[in-house]
Amino acid sequence: MPNSSASNKLHIFAVSLTLAGSGHESHGPQLEVQYARSTKKFLGASSLQIFEVTVRNMDGQAWVMANDTVEVSIESDRLTTVKPGIIKRLRPGDQVIIQVGVKIKGVNEQGTTGLATARLKSSRVNVSHEFEAAFGIGAYEPTYESIYTHESPDWYNGAKFGIFIHWGLYSIPAWGNSGSNETYAEWYWWNENMGPKTSDRTYEYHLSKYGTGYIYDDFMDKFSAEGYDAREWVNLFADSGATYFVQVAKHHDGYALYDLPINVTQRTSAAQYPHRDFIKEVFEASAKYQPQLHRAAYYSLPEWFHPDYAPYGFGRWPGHNATNPYTSEILPYRGYVPVNDYLEDIVLPEMQALAALGSEIMWCDIGGPNLTASFAAKWYNAALAENKQVVMNNRCGLPGDFDTPEYSTLSTTQKRKWESNAGMDPYSYGFNGATASAQYMNASIIVTSLVDIVSKNGNYLLDIGPQGNGSILDLEAQYLRQAGAWIKDHAEAIFNTSNWFITPQEGDDVRFTTTLDAFYILVMNQINSTLTLASPIPLVDGDQVTVVGGRLHGEVVSCSRIPGEIDGQAKVQLDISQEVQQADQWTWVFKISYR
């Protein structure tokens, strides 16, 4: 789970909402650089390094306005500011992170450290802030300290919505029980080995349907993929409004859905039936039919019953041969290739193979013993050489670039990037045939979940569990396309937005997002004839509040000030006509443009 320490919690400032207007203040706003830093991110090419400057308006009255924008630049004899940042609006008490693109002047300066100055400048502002900077991005070393300096790139931070796909041998028995007894269907093999009288009753289900002599690895012979169509998959992902997808390449059962060298393992869909590399197929389909989608793979470091994982085994990943839970017979591990060391000879080459296939996210699971620093250094450096930016989650055995809570969202904004992952099934990632149709997440829940998560600096990775033959449930596809229509129609309030520094929400149903050009108010579930906001939204005299998306996109909504009665803060009231109420569904979005 993301760090919930006090340093990462949202601090709410009691700020009065003073409606400002151009020229209302004779003095400039009192701006302060809270923090400035060099990053290991870049704009377009690795030669154009990103610096970030956090700016707060400390003034009690004066605003930054679009008629006197503040330019943010970086000064040093070792670099040139190529792309300055611009602040168009910043109300008293608010804070914004501005990116500045710089180019290092000389080859000899690459990798050096020294002092730099962040400069804030307008006709009424001239503020400087000196800080220690690292010039150039530089190569990564295979150490914890070096890998820790990597961070999530802007394409991922702005991507917001992705599709997770759990499909494997476990999709054939497709059992996880239901209701309060439901468990992850992709854990079928492990749950079967837990014996009778567990809440999920996997042992009893297998016994009844398949009998004592049918073992888990026999499902390889049924993994026909006759309903699988990679083109249909990626078209559905695009229709859902997602900007990336993460396909399970190998789960804890050790069955990999991609080709691997014969000295690593033969426990793959390429070496075994149906002799196909599904990760390659879906990546190639995406590149051909939906090239805008970012492609990624999930990878489990340990395998439950791999014989050579035994020296590293722990907890529910013991690493020895499974037994038939009905006969106690020790079972072979189909496709097993003996190796000297599981980490060196299996984990490292398997992760390298996914990188070679073009995975832009290394979405690991479980962690445990690992060689991730060694892998990541080579992966990051190879991407850097190609002017690509890749990202790794927090389950590869290192902190990674983002956190990954399961089936949960967070109540406050997190400074560190996070991604909530959950299935359309109420409690399973893999397809669970015991789940009733009415239990699947519908379009309304998808949309409102996305809005809530994005307002708190999160991404939403929504899982689908294809059936054993590789086909996706019609109901899931229907809900995804319905949600996708809304997401695309309101994209500007979702993608490439930031959380608002002051608060992500007001009450249960109102959320806020922001960009350098606009502020968005998102009202979930239902909307009435008036919307009264006590939060100090950045609204000034002369602003127009407009509708985003729906059948009345661009419609101007009447707004007015109400004298402050809640904690001394002014309130703003939006008057929502019946036509506007009826012109959209699930979440209504309103925009304040910074003009």
Side-chain angles (χ1 to χ4, degrees):
M1 290 290 289
N3 188 334
S4 59
S5 65
S7 62
N8 277 344
K9 290 184 177 178
L10 182 70
H11 298 279
I12 306 296
F13 287 79
V15 182
S16 60
L17 177 56
T18 304
L19 292 187
S22 177
H24 283 200
E25 301 87 15
S26 58
H27 67 281
Q30 182 184 344
L31 302 186
E32 183 175 287
V33 175
Q34 297 289 296
Y35 184 56
R37 69 185 186 101
S38 52
T39 78
K40 301 196 81 169
K41 301 186 294 184
F42 53 87
L43 293 170
S46 58
S47 59
L48 197 58
Q49 186 181 7
I50 293 175
F51 278 55
E52 289 187 346
V53 183
T54 302
V55 181
R56 184 180 298 178
N57 186 349
M58 306 296 290
D59 207 288
Q61 290 186 319
W63 294 50
V64 175
M65 296 295 294
N67 61 0
D68 190 16
T69 59
V70 174
E71 181 179 276
V72 183
S73 61
I74 304 296
E75 299 173 353
S76 170
D77 58 2
R78 305 187 196 186
L79 58 77
T80 301
T81 292
V82 177
K83 187 176 181 180
I86 302 294
I87 305 176
K88 293 183 177 180
R89 183 172 298 186
L90 193 63
R91 61 153 297 125
D94 206 352
Q95 179 172 298
V96 65
I97 298 174
I98 299 295
Q99 290 191 339
V100 180
V102 307
K103 190 173 183 65
I104 309 305
K105 288 184 177 178
V107 175
N108 293 334
E109 302 295 346
Q110 292 283 344
T112 64
T113 60
L115 293 178
T117 299
R119 176 76 60 184
L120 316 180
K121 195 165 185 180
S122 75
S123 65
R124 300 185 300 163
V125 171
N126 192 351
V127 174
S128 64
H129 173 84
E130 194 172 69
F131 63 101
E132 186 77 15
F135 302 104
I137 295 174
Y140 291 90
E141 300 294 331
T143 64
Y144 175 95
E145 292 77 15
S146 179
I147 301 306
Y148 190 72
T149 65
H150 193 268
E151 57 190 294
S152 56
D154 289 335
W155 74 256
Y156 175 79
N157 296 338
K160 305 304 182 184
F161 185 44
I163 297 296
F164 211 1
I165 310 100
H166 276 66
W167 180 54
L169 300 183
Y170 45 81
S171 306
I172 297 170
W175 173 259
N177 214 327
S178 59
S180 61
N181 292 321
E182 185 177 9
T183 190
Y184 292 169
E186 64 274 16
W187 277 63
Y188 184 92
W189 194 12
W190 179 265
N191 292 333
E192 180 198 2
N193 277 268
M194 290 299 98
K197 299 181 180 179
T198 60
S199 61
D200 54 85
R201 295 292 194 270
T202 304
Y203 177 96
E204 290 87 349
Y205 175 83
H206 188 93
L207 179 62
S208 173
K209 185 164 185 178
Y210 300 105
T212 60
Y214 198 95
I215 63 173
Y216 184 81
D217 280 359
D218 290 337
F219 289 125
M220 290 188 200
D221 301 324
K222 291 181 174 289
F223 200 61
S224 66
E226 60 188 10
Y228 172 80
D229 186 323
R231 180 178 181 178
E232 286 186 4
W233 277 27
V234 298
N235 286 342
L236 175 61
F237 304 159
D239 288 346
S240 76
T243 58
Y244 65 104
F245 66 89
V246 181
Q247 164 76 50
V248 169
K250 187 190 78 171
H251 208 264
H252 314 323
D253 60 2
Y255 182 74
L257 270 65
Y258 62 113
D259 196 17
L260 288 163
I262 59 174
N263 64 336
V264 174
T265 183
Q266 293 292 280
R267 193 177 174 83
T268 73
S269 61
Q272 307 292 331
Y273 181 72
H275 306 291
R276 294 171 65 179
D277 185 328
F278 292 110
I279 301 302
K280 183 179 180 180
E281 287 183 30
V282 75
F283 279 19
E284 288 181 345
S286 176
K288 182 175 182 179
Y289 301 111
Q290 300 295 343
Q292 78 283 0
L293 292 175
H294 292 276
R295 304 178 284 278
Y298 162 110
Y299 176 78
S300 173
L301 276 72
E303 298 175 21
W304 286 316
F305 303 119
H306 193 293
D308 296 328
Y309 193 69
Y312 300 104
F314 64 97
R316 292 182 289 178
W317 293 270
H320 55 66
N321 287 82
T323 59
N324 184 320
Y326 311 101
T327 67
S328 298
E329 173 192 5
I330 296 177
L331 299 177
Y333 200 57
R334 191 188 293 192
Y336 167 66
V337 175
V339 297
N340 293 324
D341 181 79
Y342 182 89
L343 301 183
E344 287 277 2
D345 302 328
I346 292 180
V347 171
L348 197 55
E350 288 183 350
M351 293 177 75
Q352 289 168 341
L354 290 173
L357 283 169
S359 183
E360 297 174 78
I361 306 171
M362 190 55 62
W363 213 106
C364 298
D365 205 2
I366 309 308
N370 66 86
L371 296 174
T372 298
S374 178
F375 162 77
K378 292 180 180 179
W379 185 42
Y380 291 163
N381 290 335
L384 195 61
E386 297 179 3
N387 293 319
K388 295 179 180 178
Q389 299 182 80
V390 293
V391 61
M392 182 171 67
N393 75 351
N394 65 334
R395 302 188 188 190
C396 298
L398 295 177
D401 303 318
F402 62 94
D403 295 322
T404 53
E406 290 186 12
Y407 274 93
S408 64
T409 58
L410 305 178
S411 59
T412 60
T413 301
Q414 300 296 303
K415 182 178 180 181
R416 176 174 157 90
K417 188 64 184 177
W418 62 286
E419 176 192 74
S420 177
N421 62 90
M424 292 184 69
D425 184 291
Y427 196 69
S428 182
Y429 293 91
F431 173 58
N432 181 7
T435 297
S437 297
Q439 298 302 310
Y440 279 92
M441 185 184 295
N442 62 29
S444 173
I445 298 173
I446 293 171
V447 166
T448 54
S449 297
L450 175 64
V451 166
D452 176 61
I453 290 165
V454 167
S455 74
K456 296 166 183 170
N457 192 37
N459 281 15
Y460 190 27
L461 186 62
L462 179 64
D463 179 81
I464 58 174
Q467 299 175 92
N469 67 1
S471 63
I472 295 170
L473 287 176
D474 290 341
L475 187 65
E476 284 189 313
Q478 175 187 334
Y479 289 157
L480 284 172
R481 288 192 168 97
Q482 289 173 351
W486 186 97
I487 292 167
K488 292 179 179 182
D489 199 30
H490 304 76
E492 66 175 272
I494 300 295
F495 300 108
N496 298 309
T497 61
S498 299
N499 58 283
W500 186 28
F501 167 72
I502 290 179
T503 182
Q505 67 185 83
E506 181 170 325
D508 293 332
D509 292 330
V510 178
R511 300 293 183 270
F512 305 110
T513 62
T514 184
T515 69
L516 295 178
D517 298 306
F519 184 86
Y520 297 94
I521 303 160
L522 303 96
V523 186
M524 303 186 297
N525 299 316
Q526 64 179 10
I527 194 164
N528 299 317
S529 60
T530 60
L531 174 64
T532 302
L533 299 170
S535 301
I537 62 174
L539 182 72
V540 301
D541 290 339
D543 276 344
Q544 287 187 336
V545 178
T546 56
V547 174
V548 173
R551 295 188 299 277
L552 291 179
H553 177 76
E555 181 83 0
V556 176
V557 173
S558 174
C559 63
S560 57
R561 285 187 64 191
I562 299 176
E565 297 178 359
I566 301 177
D567 297 329
Q569 295 180 1
K571 294 185 289 184
V572 170
Q573 178 174 296
L574 305 185
D575 296 320
I576 315 299
S577 69
Q578 189 173 14
E579 291 77 14
V580 169
Q581 295 175 54
Q582 295 174 348
D584 218 331
Q585 60 182 340
W586 304 325
T587 295
W588 289 254
V589 181
F590 305 96
K591 175 182 180 180
I592 302 170
S593 296
Y594 299 159
R595 299 178 294 108

